[in-house]
Amino acid sequence: MLDDAVATQDTVTQLVAAIRRVIRDAPGGEKTATAWCTVHDYTDPGKPRIAWNDEQARAALVDALVTDALNLLGRLPERQLDEKAADAVGLPALVAGQDVEVADDSDGRDGRWRIARGTAHDRMVSTVAPQARHIHKNRTRHQDGFRAHGAFEPETGLLTEVELTAGSGKENHEAAVAEVLLADESEDLTVLGDTAYGTGDLREALETAGRTKALGRPDPTGARTAQFKKLCHHCPLQEQCTRSKTGRTFQVHSHYDRLKAARRQAADPNWKAEYRRWRPPVERAMAWLTARGNREAPYRGVLKNNTWLHNRAAALNLRRLINLGLTHTDHTWPLAPTTT
């Protein structure tokens, strides 16, 4: 997880910045804004001046900013847009779509808006860096930026492949699960229909004890959850099933089958031995990649930062090769093992 190089923006800042960009980059934007955008002086680099501790004032400002954005977009002169102008025109709609919804007492036709409750999936965090995303590594650690993926050859200590992607999206969830698996060697649960059961003897015992639980409705990502919780209290199988003091929570998601297969693989003693042998050098390589202030991606956007990541990986590999004995002889570069 790499931090982005810009500050995260709240909804008001994003709306104001998106309108400013249309004014600056879209043909006829400045003239249209002068006539139809009245809630704020968009030449002022600061935020609108309101009582920010007044909830009604904040709601009224968001409603007015969205109205300004709609007026601006709806009254721009019709003409062919180049890529820069098209991106600018699309930005206010994107910001409004992710952060704003119709007011509680509105039917959606009277043009009244408020900040949306909750956080939109794949939310853009800044109009300055529109490809940066809000990333959750686990339930407690989160940041804004990008994901760096790497493949490493542990015997030589060389990075064989790297790639930088946006922080979220379905193409960015190929994370390793081995570390979690070693901490959870209990028997897995099986899902039949809408009910979660234990496997083997654990399943039979749970069924006999009446400890089965229906899966809940799918969440926005399609995951379904069974919360055993109180059913785990005083259960003779609790130590085999979960370390949670509040009881087991079991989730079925799109990677359920892969995770279950990985748990079975991780139970193999040979697999554990290989994992414990090779994990330290791999972790060391990832530490090299982000050392000396390189936890933050230095540029805006995926393309430039991906180029930077490849250059950094190449430099680290060159340093590693020199440490392995790379020398220049005539017109060749032989790799002679060092004596130290």
Side-chain angles (χ1 to χ4, degrees), residues 21 36 63 142 173 187 192 206 229 249 283 340:
R21 188 167 171 183
W36 292 98
D63 178 78
H142 51 84
H173 294 290
E187 288 193 82
L192 298 177
L206 285 171
K229 293 192 174 179
T249 298
E283 293 285 0
T340 58

Side-chain angles (χ1 to χ4, degrees), residues 20 38-46:
R20 284 188 185 132
T38 58
V39 70
H40 177 59
D41 178 7
Y42 294 98
T43 62
D44 183 349

Side-chain angles (χ1 to χ4, degrees), residues 196-249:
Y197 301 89
T199 57
D201 295 337
L202 181 58
R203 172 185 172 181
E204 182 178 351
L206 285 171
E207 287 181 303
T208 303
R211 291 182 172 88
T212 61
K213 193 70 174 179
L215 292 170
R217 294 181 178 179
D219 65 15
T221 66
R224 303 179 68 186
T225 303
Q227 297 183 353
F228 286 81
K229 293 192 174 179
K230 291 183 179 180
L231 294 178
C232 295
H233 295 172
H234 309 296
C235 177
L237 301 167
Q238 183 175 2
E239 291 185 2
Q240 300 177 39
C241 191
T242 180
R243 294 183 178 90
S244 173
K245 295 181 180 179
T246 59
R248 178 139 189 188
T249 298

Side-chain angles (χ1 to χ4, degrees), residues 127-330:
T127 58
V128 180
Q131 291 179 309
R133 290 293 184 271
H134 192 58
I135 316 169
H136 283 265
K137 186 169 184 178
N138 52 44
R139 293 185 179 181
T140 58
R141 179 180 170 185
H142 51 84
Q143 60 198 78
D144 297 321
F146 307 92
R147 288 186 188 271
H149 311 262
F152 182 72
E153 205 297 299
E155 289 188 336
T156 60
L158 296 174
L159 289 156
T160 59
E161 186 177 3
V162 292
E163 189 73 17
L164 183 137
T165 64
S168 63
K170 61 183 180 180
E171 71 276 13
N172 302 305
H173 294 290
E174 299 298 327
V177 293
E179 184 175 356
V180 178
L181 300 178
L182 287 179
D184 182 11
E185 300 172 6
S186 63
E187 288 193 82
D188 201 358
L189 298 183
T190 296
V191 175
L192 298 177
D194 287 340
T195 306
Y197 301 89
T199 57
D201 295 337
L202 181 58
R203 172 185 172 181
E204 182 178 351
L206 285 171
E207 287 181 303
T208 303
R211 291 182 172 88
T212 61
K213 193 70 174 179
L215 292 170
R217 294 181 178 179
D219 65 15
T221 66
R224 303 179 68 186
T225 303
Q227 297 183 353
F228 286 81
K229 293 192 174 179
K230 291 183 179 180
L231 294 178
C232 295
H233 295 172
H234 309 296
C235 177
L237 301 167
Q238 183 175 2
E239 291 185 2
Q240 300 177 39
C241 191
T242 180
R243 294 183 178 90
S244 173
K245 295 181 180 179
T246 59
R248 178 139 189 188
T249 298
F250 178 70
Q251 188 179 71
V252 181
H253 46 75
S254 59
H255 297 297
Y256 168 74
D257 291 332
R258 292 179 59 197
L259 187 60
K260 187 173 179 180
R263 280 201 179 101
R264 290 175 179 172
Q265 182 187 38
D268 182 352
N270 293 328
W271 186 94
K272 291 181 182 180
E274 287 289 302
Y275 177 76
R276 292 190 174 105
R277 177 186 178 187
W278 296 119
R279 178 186 171 188
V282 172
E283 293 285 0
R284 191 180 307 120
M286 296 300 103
W288 290 342
L289 203 59
T290 57
R292 299 181 183 275
N294 288 282
R295 177 66 69 178
E296 178 179 296
Y299 303 105
R300 299 177 187 176
V302 168
L303 182 60
K304 288 184 177 181
N305 283 317
N306 190 36
T307 303
W308 161 80
L309 183 67
H310 279 78
N311 288 337
R312 177 158 180 77
L316 290 170
N317 281 346
L318 179 58
R319 184 183 70 178
R320 177 59 182 159
L321 287 169
I322 292 172
N323 290 338
L324 291 173
L326 183 68
T327 57
H328 185 238
T329 304
D330 295 329

